[in-house]
Amino acid sequence: MITLLDYGAGNVRSVINAIEKLGQRITVAKSGQDIRDAEKLVFPGVGNFGSMMHILRQKQFVEPLLGYLGSGRPFLGICVGMQALFEGSDEAPAEKGLAVLPGRVKRFDVDLAVPHIGWNGIRVKQPTDLFHGLDGDEKFYFVHSYHAVADDPAVVLTTTDYGYPFVSAVQHNNIQGTQFHPEKSGASGLTLLENFIRKDRQVTIPKRSPSQTRLAKRIIACLDVRTNDQGDLVVTKGDQYDVREAGSVRNLGKPVELAGRYFEEGADEVTFLNITGFRDFPLEDMPMIQVLKRTSKNVFVPLTIGGGIRDFTDKNGRAYTALEVAAEYFRSGADKVSIGSDAVDIVEAYLKTGRKSGRSAIEQISHVYGNQAVVISIDPRRVYVDSPAQTPHATVETAIPGPQGQRYCWFQCTVKGGREGRAVDAVTLARTCELLGAGEILLNCIDRDGTNMGFDIELINAVKQAVTIPVIASSGAGCAAHFAEVFAETDAESALAAGIFHRREVPISAVKAHLKGKVEVRL
Ligand code: 1PR
């Protein structure tokens, strides 16, 4: 029996699903006694170090946890659950860590996007049972802005490079921990978890060790989901956001099945967008939550969900906060939530006052779940002008002139699935959302969506240059070469497509095969 320590933040469902997938029973520790009685303890931590330690103390879990760690029984800490083993973290200097390993947790100090999000390699430094059956050149999924700095090199199990080498796993007697998420790392992650569960594996060093590990560019499959006119929840796909063909909503498949297919085919991440979320409140529109719960039972790569994440008052007068909506999604298996329309409202409000309210969905969700859990989905459309002087917005000189030959354009944000344009541009929106605590930008493009013409390179460069958080390039992919183009001509960390994958025109494996040798990918 495995015991899971759940302190209430983040996506523990994925860890439960992964362990159940491996045929093991798992119980959630509800009290200090449950921790004391555990045979094997897994501690997945997500979000803020300070709030994690605060809750552990509040629930009086610290003493039992220290007792367990000293008992010699197996322990696996994941992400912030591994960081908790150290003395403290710069993320919350006032909160003490468990201090069973000497050292502290520091923020990445690199000229690269932070958080470090995506699939990166490891270099195993000491014999271990955890990597039994793996070659050593696999990639694992990371998502974090802080990393441990161990004072004792003997506890370092693996290192990974991101600007510089950092500690990506630790091992000390019975205590093991990974900065990466095995439960989100596909087949390799499941192997590692199984090795931990069985504890009967040979202790070895894997045969390969990369001289330098590289973060892969992520290939993301996106599923736009809505109810069709027959009342079925379907994956649909728009042409410049128009999802109807001959009057009916296009039906490209069932969400759970399609997501499962993309996992098997090697998608690095799967995104669900509830595209009518602006009018259907997700907690009433329960099918999306069911979709997430069912998907996360078999899909062991990161899942993002968007649509309808905002404050809402239902017809009975009950008020829900965006944080509550997000919490329900995280409990159901989401790793990240994506905020679309509400982000535009939030930025408009911020631009009026120039002050953070502390109450916006972006601030509240990132405070509890961490910046990495908050994606901003932008739905921009080009607005052409003859000269930059014609608009207060940031313009680009474009190689694709407007209908009247205009040489400049700005990228207007829209809400409600492109139905309403707003007086905010995508560059300002992205920059402001980063300031408010967003961890990633999902950059769609209405002009390119469903056209197969390739990504809007000018848009992506304009936004990417304005932020330090990762950007997902989206909309317009029509062939594998378009992915090579977006990674060659922009610094986007990942690229997303929908139509070509749904229609089986270009398999994910063909995209990766095309990219191999040109950019780092997870194969
Ligand atoms: O505004 O917070 O409720 O979120 C709604 C979400 O639904 C937003 O993220 C918004 O992008 C999305 N959305 C709303 N309407 C549509 C629509 O298509 N009518 N989806 C829509 C559009 C575009 C991508 C698409 C890429 C790649 N999102 O999802 O997958 O363009 O497509 P392609 O590879 O086929 O070109 P809120």
Side-chain angles (χ1 to χ4, degrees):
M1 173 74 88
I2 308 293
T3 302
L4 182 109
L5 176 52
D6 176 14
Y7 62 97
N11 175 9
V12 293
R13 172 128 312 267
S14 305
V15 179
I16 295 174
N17 288 338
I19 290 173
E20 286 181 348
K21 180 86 179 171
L22 295 166
Q24 284 289 319
R25 288 198 308 127
I26 181 157
T27 174
V28 176
K30 295 193 182 62
S31 65
Q33 195 55 42
D34 291 343
I35 297 173
R36 285 186 202 100
D37 293 343
E39 293 162 13
K40 289 172 186 159
L41 188 65
V42 178
F43 179 20
V46 176
N48 185 283
F49 183 95
S51 62
M52 169 186 68
M53 289 310 304
H54 181 74
I55 300 170
L56 289 181
R57 278 183 228 294
Q58 212 176 33
K59 294 196 168 187
Q60 299 188 322
F61 280 177
V62 172
E63 280 309 312
L65 198 47
L66 288 172
Y68 182 91
L69 289 163
S71 74
R73 281 168 281 160
F75 173 91
L76 181 67
I78 298 175
C79 193
V80 194
M82 178 202 95
Q83 296 179 1
L85 297 168
F86 288 85
E87 292 161 46
S89 169
D90 289 355
E91 189 174 16
E95 287 285 349
K96 282 204 183 100
L98 297 170
V100 293
L101 301 181
R104 278 188 71 78
V105 177
K106 304 224 156 87
R107 194 177 156 86
F108 272 112
D109 183 10
V110 287
D111 286 336
L112 300 163
V114 176
H116 168 227
I117 300 185
W119 299 77
N120 205 333
I122 44 125
R123 260 187 314 269
V124 181
K125 298 286 190 192
Q126 53 169 298
T128 179
D129 54 351
L130 274 189
F131 294 98
H132 172 90
L134 297 174
D135 291 333
D137 56 1
E138 292 83 4
K139 289 193 189 294
F140 294 87
Y141 185 74
F142 289 82
V143 49
H144 60 128
S145 301
Y146 293 80
H147 63 85
V149 180
D151 288 347
D152 178 4
V155 307
V156 176
L157 175 58
T158 68
T159 59
T160 293
D161 298 311
Y162 192 61
Y164 48 79
F166 70 91
V167 177
S168 50
V170 294
Q171 177 170 279
H172 176 60
N173 302 329
N174 57 309
I175 301 169
Q176 293 172 315
T178 61
Q179 179 60 64
F180 54 85
H181 288 263
E183 77 284 8
K184 287 285 146 191
S185 297
S188 307
L190 291 179
T191 300
L192 186 149
L193 279 176
E194 189 167 22
N195 292 339
F196 173 77
I197 289 166
R198 293 182 56 144
K199 277 287 158 210
D200 62 353
R201 306 303 204 190
Q202 217 185 333
V203 172
T204 50
I205 292 193
K207 57 178 186 258
R208 292 198 198 109
S209 182
S211 57
Q212 199 184 6
T213 73
R214 289 195 173 83
L215 182 67
K217 297 284 185 183
R218 281 168 287 154
I219 305 301
I220 302 176
C222 183
L223 291 80
D224 290 354
V225 180
R226 62 162 288 170
T227 307
N228 68 9
D229 303 323
Q230 289 72 45
D232 302 320
L233 198 68
V234 298
V235 175
T236 189
K237 184 69 224 44
D239 279 334
Q240 299 185 319
Y241 284 37
D242 179 1
V243 298
R244 287 184 184 270
E245 194 168 303
S248 303
V249 172
R250 279 191 200 92
N251 179 350
L252 292 164
K254 295 182 179 167
V256 179
E257 284 72 2
L258 215 48
R261 192 187 108 198
Y262 294 143
F263 170 61
E264 297 297 334
E265 291 177 359
D268 296 317
E269 215 167 299
V270 173
T271 297
F272 289 110
L273 296 175
N274 175 1
I275 67 167
T276 52
F278 68 90
R279 57 171 181 248
D280 306 321
F281 181 57
L283 296 188
E284 287 179 348
D285 185 23
M286 294 301 272
M288 280 314 282
I289 288 172
Q290 293 308 323
V291 163
L292 211 45
K293 283 188 174 156
R294 288 178 50 215
T295 302
S296 63
K297 281 197 180 304
N298 292 303
V299 172
F300 299 103
V301 294
L303 294 174
T304 302
I305 179 128
I309 296 174
R310 64 199 149 96
D311 296 343
F312 183 81
T313 303
D314 71 12
K315 48 188 177 298
N316 303 317
R318 157 115 208 247
Y320 297 85
T321 64
L323 181 61
E324 287 175 284
V325 183
E328 191 57 36
Y329 278 143
F330 290 126
R331 270 193 293 275
S332 305
D335 300 286
K336 305 187 243 181
V337 294
S338 141
I339 305 175
S341 302
D342 200 41
V344 181
D345 293 340
I346 291 167
V347 168
E348 283 179 342
Y350 175 85
L351 293 176
K352 264 191 207 131
T353 63
R355 276 198 310 273
K356 296 182 183 179
S357 72
R359 290 192 304 273
S360 72
I362 301 172
E363 290 159 282
Q364 290 200 21
I365 301 171
S366 62
H367 178 69
V368 178
Y369 293 95
N371 300 26
Q372 81 294 331
V374 181
V375 181
I376 303 301
S377 169
I378 313 183
D379 300 314
R381 171 184 281 133
R382 283 178 174 233
V383 177
Y384 283 99
V385 287
D386 290 314
S387 81
Q390 278 181 353
T391 171
H393 298 286
T395 53
V396 296
E397 188 172 2
T398 176
I400 312 155
Q404 274 85 49
Q406 300 99 320
R407 298 266 318 283
Y408 295 87
C409 74
W410 62 282
F411 300 101
Q412 182 186 31
C413 291
T414 66
V415 296
K416 301 179 183 169
R419 287 168 182 79
E420 198 181 306
R422 292 288 185 80
V424 183
D425 60 79
V427 172
T428 305
L429 189 98
R431 194 185 282 132
T432 310
C433 289
E434 176 175 11
L435 189 80
L436 293 173
E440 196 169 23
I441 301 292
L442 163 51
L443 186 56
N444 301 300
C445 171
I446 298 182
D447 308 289
R448 294 294 174 103
D449 174 57
T451 62
N452 290 5
M453 287 165 57
F455 298 93
D456 188 332
I457 303 294
E458 292 173 343
L459 164 67
I460 298 160
N461 275 328
V463 170
K464 181 64 200 164
Q465 281 155 17
V467 294
T468 64
I469 53 179
V471 169
I472 302 167
S474 164
S475 304
C479 59
H482 287 152
F483 291 84
E485 181 188 35
V486 78
F487 291 132
E489 294 189 18
T490 78
D491 288 331
E493 281 77 6
S494 44
L496 170 153
I500 55 167
F501 296 152
H502 301 338
R503 294 187 297 267
R504 293 182 186 270
E505 287 164 10
V506 184
I508 293 167
S509 56
V511 172
K512 292 197 174 179
H514 181 83
L515 291 175
K516 191 180 167 203
K518 300 184 187 77
V519 291
E520 188 74 10
V521 282
R522 177 183 73 110
L523 294 167

